[in-house]
Amino acid sequence: MPPETAPRRVPVEREADGRMDESRRVRRILDSLAALYPDARCELHYETPFQLLVATMLSAQSTDAKVNQVTPELFRRYPDARAFAALTPEELAPHIQSIGLYRTKSKNIIETARILVERYGGEVPRDFDALVALPGVGRKTANVVLSTAFGLPAIAVDTHVFRVSRRLGLASGDTPERVEAELRERIPMSEWAVTHHRLIWHGRRMCHARAPKCDRCPLWVDCPHGLKAARSGQKNQDPPVDNIGRGD
């Protein structure tokens, strides 16, 4: 039986043109996410592109909430790339030691700050290739900075985007890179950035890794995972995949 709190819709029958039907399913998912999370945004605290870059680097294999506990005082002491470039890893590490992999992150953040000062006048470049060339910056971090700080079209695939997009049938790839490529093909470019945030919010609030709230989810009717759970009458759990999409 369908989830008790889900909309009283039934799955739309596949039309003769399967691609047309699938495009409508994707459109319904995007519209449903927009209705659920009209205010979806990056939940990291920052004031400048550089601060967002640092916060995103810190968030790898950690949580935004944990990073947000550290960065207010960190950015008060060291507000820009020049301030970070003057530090040593040993000086930075105590400020972020509550965050996982803090020694490696200290080293990468300082090296990145020094490169930004030496090559870009302390500013963050608006170029994907330049960003991923920085120490500790991968595709996810680069795409977060490009889309959130600069408003450029990009999709960042973190653990939530990876999990939720696969459950919704928006992607089937087994790596973040493949999922990113599939999402770029299926989602209009103008919606890349905001869909990234909405998928994250859905993953944090409803489509959890081990106990998804399929019985409460308005997207269940267009979600292969949700439909399977509804038909079986129990919450369907995928094998854990978070480590595949975590961080960069």
Side-chain angles (χ1 to χ4, degrees), residues 47-248:
E47 294 183 358
T48 67
F50 175 76
Q51 290 182 0
L52 176 62
L53 174 61
V54 171
T56 309
M57 293 172 72
L58 289 173
S59 72
Q61 299 193 34
S62 184
T63 65
D64 288 0
K66 177 65 71 174
V67 173
N68 288 339
Q69 293 174 5
V70 169
T71 50
E73 177 61 17
L74 181 67
F75 293 152
R76 186 190 69 79
R77 288 173 174 265
Y78 313 110
D80 54 30
R82 295 184 185 281
F84 274 87
L87 296 172
T88 65
E90 292 73 23
E91 290 172 325
L92 176 58
H95 298 288
I96 62 172
Q97 63 183 352
S98 63
I99 297 175
L101 305 176
Y102 71 94
R103 289 189 178 88
T104 299
K105 291 175 182 179
S106 296
K107 181 175 179 289
N108 287 336
I109 288 171
I110 289 174
E111 289 182 0
T112 287
R114 290 173 178 171
I115 292 172
L116 293 180
V117 170
E118 294 170 2
R119 300 181 186 176
Y120 303 101
E123 300 297 321
V124 176
R126 303 188 180 201
D127 179 78
F128 179 84
D129 291 334
L131 285 170
V132 295
L134 297 170
V137 177
R139 295 188 66 89
K140 186 208 77 174
T141 296
N143 283 328
V144 167
V145 172
L146 291 175
S147 62
T148 303
F150 300 126
L152 300 175
I155 297 178
V157 178
D158 71 349
T159 179
H160 300 294
V161 175
F162 184 83
R163 177 180 70 255
V164 175
S165 62
R166 283 163 40 106
R167 283 181 175 170
L168 286 170
L170 296 176
S172 60
D174 57 2
T175 66
E177 292 79 8
R178 291 176 180 174
V179 168
E180 179 187 335
E182 290 178 274
L183 293 177
R184 284 173 172 264
E185 290 182 1
R186 307 191 78 178
I187 298 172
M189 183 182 294
S190 61
E191 299 177 57
W192 285 358
V194 70
T195 299
H196 154 76
H197 293 306
R198 289 168 181 164
L199 288 171
I200 289 175
W201 279 39
H202 195 58
R204 287 175 176 166
R205 290 155 175 79
M206 191 167 293
C207 194
H208 302 148
R210 296 187 180 277
K213 300 177 181 178
C214 297
D215 56 332
R216 304 181 190 176
C217 182
L219 279 67
W220 77 273
V221 73
D222 286 311
C223 174
H225 184 94
L227 285 171
K228 184 177 180 181
R231 288 166 181 160
S232 66
Q234 60 185 0
K235 292 181 180 179
N236 182 29
Q237 296 185 4
D238 289 335
V241 297
D242 279 14
N243 288 337
I244 298 177
R246 188 180 296 280
D248 290 326

